[in-house]
Amino acid sequence: MLTLNPIAPPPQVIFKFDYPNTPNLLDQLYALDCEAYGSHAVDRSILERWVNICPESITLILADGEIAGAFGLLAISEEQTRQFIAGKLKEAEFECLPGTIENHQFWYWSGIVLANKYRLSRSSPLRKLLSWGIDCWLTSDRLAQNAYVYSSPCSQDGQNLLDRFKFEQIKSAAEMADGIPLYVRQIINPQEMRSELGGLLSEKR
């Protein structure tokens, strides 16, 4: 008589959130950015500078000490925002503002990346990362009631995400210093944005 042994389910991945506050995590983050963005990835030294000024500018989601994904959101000055929109400044030239800033109006979503093994995985941390990263920002004192979030997608996945969050294109690739089109989303009421975010992340896709 043939006896079939039940197949054990794969172990559940336990994720936790952190910031790139060690050389090892910075190295992992830079490698992940290079893999995702290619020639558009910023140098490791720039990532380190941003994190030193504002640790909260880049949120990591970890699995067993390794980066499963990263989410970047920088506070930038009004003057640098104007220069960036005018095509006179590259993303790598941003000087992000410190985490102690309050009621700030101008922000740059530098991107969201996942490690290769999680991009098509059922245990993808994408929704967890988006929910945590955006929700912490929306509920903080750092965000003004009437704010603008800018972003430049380097891939079709990035473009799809901006479309999903109702970003509008305001500059073509030819008009930008990095050669990537620029999008913006105005946030008038952070609480309403939280409700919208919850609805979007609960959708099955």
Side-chain angles (χ1 to χ4, degrees):
M1 182 177 181
L2 182 62
T3 302
L4 296 178
N5 293 322
I7 299 175
Q12 184 177 3
V13 180
I14 298 176
F15 295 111
K16 72 172 187 176
F17 296 98
D18 206 341
Y19 302 112
N21 49 19
T22 68
N24 177 51
L25 287 177
L26 270 173
D27 288 342
Q28 288 189 51
L29 176 61
Y30 177 59
L32 189 60
D33 273 8
C34 288
E35 183 180 88
Y37 300 133
S39 61
H40 293 295
V42 300
D43 290 342
R44 183 190 183 282
S45 60
I46 295 170
L47 293 174
E48 185 173 16
R49 187 181 74 222
W50 288 346
V51 170
N52 285 340
I53 294 172
C54 178
E56 299 90 348
S57 62
I58 301 176
T59 301
L60 306 179
I61 188 165
L62 307 178
D64 296 325
E66 294 186 352
I67 297 178
F71 173 91
L73 190 60
L74 313 174
I76 53 177
S77 71
E78 182 174 359
E79 177 58 30
Q80 286 208 320
T81 301
R82 293 182 189 280
Q83 290 182 26
F84 187 64
I85 294 173
K88 298 178 180 179
L89 193 74
K90 294 185 176 183
E91 176 184 336
E93 296 173 309
F94 280 144
E95 294 289 345
C96 75
L97 301 177
T100 53
I101 195 167
E102 294 183 1
N103 199 35
H104 192 63
Q105 192 173 17
F106 302 101
W107 298 83
Y108 183 73
W109 186 3
S110 61
I112 182 166
V113 292
L114 294 178
N116 262 334
K117 65 187 289 186
Y118 293 107
R119 286 178 189 167
L120 298 177
S121 169
R122 289 184 178 180
S123 59
S124 171
L126 177 60
R127 292 189 183 193
K128 290 183 176 68
L129 184 55
L130 278 171
S131 179
W132 176 269
I134 298 179
D135 198 59
C136 287
W137 172 65
L138 288 172
T139 56
S140 73
D141 293 332
R142 302 172 65 207
L143 179 64
Q145 282 292 316
N146 187 16
Y148 296 87
V149 186
Y150 299 87
S151 191
S152 299
C154 297
S155 67
Q156 188 59 52
D157 285 343
Q159 177 69 68
N160 293 342
L161 197 58
L162 293 185
D163 290 343
R164 190 176 174 188
F165 283 97
K166 301 178 182 177
F167 277 70
E168 297 181 4
Q169 183 176 339
I170 57 171
K171 292 288 182 177
S172 68
E175 295 175 287
M176 298 302 294
D178 282 314
I180 306 171
L182 180 64
Y183 288 72
V184 67
R185 169 70 195 262
Q186 184 179 10
I187 299 177
I188 298 175
N189 187 319
Q191 292 305 316
E192 288 182 2
M193 183 64 183
R194 285 188 75 197
S195 299
E196 180 183 333
L197 173 66
L200 287 170
L201 294 180
S202 64
E203 292 177 0
K204 293 185 178 180
R205 295 201 171 222

